[in-house]
Amino acid sequence: LGSKVITCRAAVAWAPKEPLSLETVEVAPPKAGEVRIKVLATGVCHTDAYTLNGHDPEGLFPCILGHEGGGLVESVGEGVTHLAPGDHVVPLYIPQCYDCKFCKSPKTNLCGRIRSTQGAGVMPDGTSRFTCKGKSVFHFMGCSTFCEYTVVSEFSICKVDPEAPLDKVCLLGCGISTGYGAALNTADVQPGSSVAIWGLGAVGLAVAMGCRERGAARVIGVDINPDKFEAGKPFGITEFVNPKEQERPIQQVLTELTDGGLDYTFECIGNVHTMRAALESCHKGWGVSTILGVAAAGQEISTRPFQLVTGRVWKGCAFGGWKSRDAVPQLVQKYMQKKLMVDEFVTFNFPLDQINEAFKVMHEGKALRSVVNL
Ligand code: NAD
Ligand code: AHE
Ligand code: ZN
């Protein structure tokens, strides 16, 4: 099959704000330096919805969304030696080429090798591997996992333990690794500290999991959906505050509740107002606030410079700060050794033709993660 076009099913995003449409698509063979994957499972992340709603300045249509996948190598293009057909793999929206300025720096997990073509919805040679009804269809985040087969750069994929269930470890391709890594790598949460997390979705609860592992004394969940408190307890949420139930600004409520403010806060929503609240709820002198939420182009954060002058630190995080191809196989091992929760994040499973349901239950706040089985 390696050199043949594969005809298969995909959930295509034809236009912003329109439901995904089940279509027959053609997937071209991998070119040099590329890998074609048979996708077996994919999570649905809020970022897929962010782009589908037309908020993503890099969102191009028609496209195949999805960036939290797991599958098997179907074929490799010329020059690809580190993977072979049958390998169990997770696609990576932050690649690792080991050769660019970013990969050579210990300060970041970003990789610059293919970011410009990835943001343009095409493969490194500037073209797409997908067609549908005679039209070219864009790639997404270098992954496009809402399709039975996808093609990715050899830099955007890692081999994982074949014993690991792909319909679970697909979630290590984004949300869980992001939140967990933010606590460990970006904020470096210290034992005994106080933490507040805005947005108790899969990302926020993965942050909680990391904070608990680091021995945080208090992990306060902040969410406007009261159901999230019960849901958050198994992941390490120890207290819950619903801003809707407070008369005063949440910053005041939390500062009083924690003797001056939090040692660490995290924003896992994508709302510039809660980003400000998260920063201003940090403790004077040392509080660190980490932004994980994705906000659209044109959205800007603001605060009084005095907040920073008096020692608060505002930072951000992509994919948990993990250098992707090094870290994801290790995170899979940690899960296999039962040292990392993954199963508990799966709320629903859907077949590909019900993928729009997965978006619906996420928006309704009923799901941490839905996994689509292909
Ligand atoms: P989700 O939709 O599952 O969870 C969002 C949570 O925020 C929900 O529980 C919702 O009730 C809560 N919420 C919404 N508005 C709120 C408000 N005003 N105050 C308090 N709580 C509020 O989303 P997710 O999949 O967990 O993703 C969360 C965010 O992280 C999104 O913006 C997503 O795009 C982003 N994200 C970023 C990265 C990264 O690498 N930086 C990775 C994955 C996801
Ligand atoms: N195209 C989007 C990018 C938004 C964004 O920040 N994406 C995150 C991952 S969210 C995964 O659910 C990220 O890691 N970005 C790093 C990068 O290189 O884009 C926009 O808004 O422009
Ligand atoms: Zn994501």
Side-chain angles (χ1 to χ4, degrees):
L1 259 182
S3 57
K4 292 257 181 303
V5 170
I6 291 178
T7 299
C8 64
R9 295 185 313 156
V12 175
W14 286 109
K17 296 195 190 334
E18 283 184 15
L20 301 186
S21 168
L22 235 284
E23 303 284 359
T24 298
V25 302
E26 295 79 35
V27 185
K31 291 187 178 174
E34 299 176 358
V35 179
R36 187 158 62 181
I37 302 169
K38 177 171 176 42
V39 181
L40 296 179
T42 177
V44 175
C45 170
H46 195 106
T47 306
D48 295 308
Y50 160 78
T51 301
L52 182 56
N53 287 341
H55 299 147
D56 182 351
E58 293 180 304
L60 299 162
F61 296 86
C63 72
I64 295 175
L65 296 167
H67 62 282
E68 210 173 51
L72 308 175
V73 172
E74 177 274 332
S75 63
V76 300
E78 189 194 322
V80 177
T81 52
H82 65 100
L83 289 164
D87 284 349
H88 290 226
V89 292
V90 170
L92 302 164
Y93 62 82
I94 296 191
Q96 188 175 1
C97 75
Y98 295 98
D99 208 14
C100 75
K101 190 177 178 184
F102 298 88
C103 285
K104 288 178 177 166
S105 166
K107 294 179 176 177
T108 181
N109 66 320
L110 298 177
C111 168
R113 187 67 171 271
I114 60 168
R115 185 59 185 76
S116 53
T117 47
Q118 175 172 318
V122 290
M123 297 303 288
D125 72 346
T127 63
S128 168
R129 299 289 164 272
F130 297 120
T131 51
C132 182
K133 296 176 180 167
K135 283 186 66 131
S136 180
V137 175
F138 286 111
H139 294 251
F140 176 64
M141 292 173 73
C143 295
S144 292
T145 56
F146 293 169
C147 185
E148 287 175 330
Y149 287 85
T150 188
V151 177
V152 304
S153 156
E154 65 175 316
F155 304 130
S156 308
I157 182 170
C158 67
K159 196 172 158 183
V160 298
D161 179 351
E163 296 298 309
L166 287 165
D167 62 351
K168 299 287 190 302
V169 299
C170 60
L171 299 185
L172 292 171
C174 188
I176 297 173
S177 303
T178 297
Y180 182 62
L184 270 58
N185 304 324
T186 311
D188 187 16
V189 171
Q190 294 301 301
S193 53
S194 63
V195 177
I197 301 166
W198 273 255
L200 303 183
V203 174
L205 293 182
V207 173
M209 190 170 65
C211 295
R212 174 174 57 189
E213 181 179 300
R214 280 296 180 86
R218 298 173 74 178
V219 183
I220 304 170
V222 180
D223 204 302
I224 51 176
N225 176 349
D227 301 344
K228 292 291 185 172
F229 184 31
E230 278 314 309
K233 284 179 180 171
F235 299 90
I237 298 292
T238 57
E239 300 159 63
F240 181 77
V241 177
N242 180 344
K244 290 257 186 265
E245 291 167 6
Q246 307 298 326
E247 265 80 54
R248 294 168 305 147
I250 191 75
Q251 293 91 315
Q252 278 174 31
V253 172
L254 288 172
T255 304
E256 278 170 24
L257 203 58
T258 58
D259 183 27
L262 287 305
D263 299 317
Y264 304 93
T265 63
F266 298 85
E267 202 273 5
C268 308
I269 301 166
N271 174 315
V272 295
H273 305 296
T274 44
M275 289 173 188
R276 175 171 195 160
L279 176 87
E280 296 176 355
S281 299
C282 279
H283 202 288
K284 190 177 208 178
W286 59 78
V288 176
S289 188
T290 301
I291 293 175
L292 295 165
V294 168
Q299 294 283 309
E300 294 181 349
I301 48 177
S302 58
T303 190
R304 261 197 77 193
F306 183 68
Q307 292 284 327
L308 307 184
V309 166
T310 51
R312 292 173 193 76
V313 172
W314 220 345
K315 55 199 314 188
C317 172
F319 193 56
W322 298 112
K323 286 206 182 260
S324 56
R325 287 167 65 191
D326 293 342
V328 171
Q330 291 169 359
L331 291 166
V332 169
Q333 280 313 98
K334 208 161 189 175
Y335 160 66
M336 296 299 278
Q337 293 155 6
K338 301 200 182 320
K339 293 178 184 155
L340 187 69
M341 290 161 69
V342 175
D343 298 19
E344 296 77 356
F345 284 88
V346 180
T347 319
F348 297 103
N349 281 84
F350 292 110
L352 184 58
D353 58 10
Q354 288 175 30
I355 192 165
N356 289 313
E357 268 306 293
F359 283 83
K360 183 165 172 284
V361 290
M362 176 173 62
H363 288 308
E364 288 168 350
K366 291 185 184 135
L368 284 181
R369 273 292 186 268
S370 298
V371 172
V372 175
N373 298 85
L374 289 100

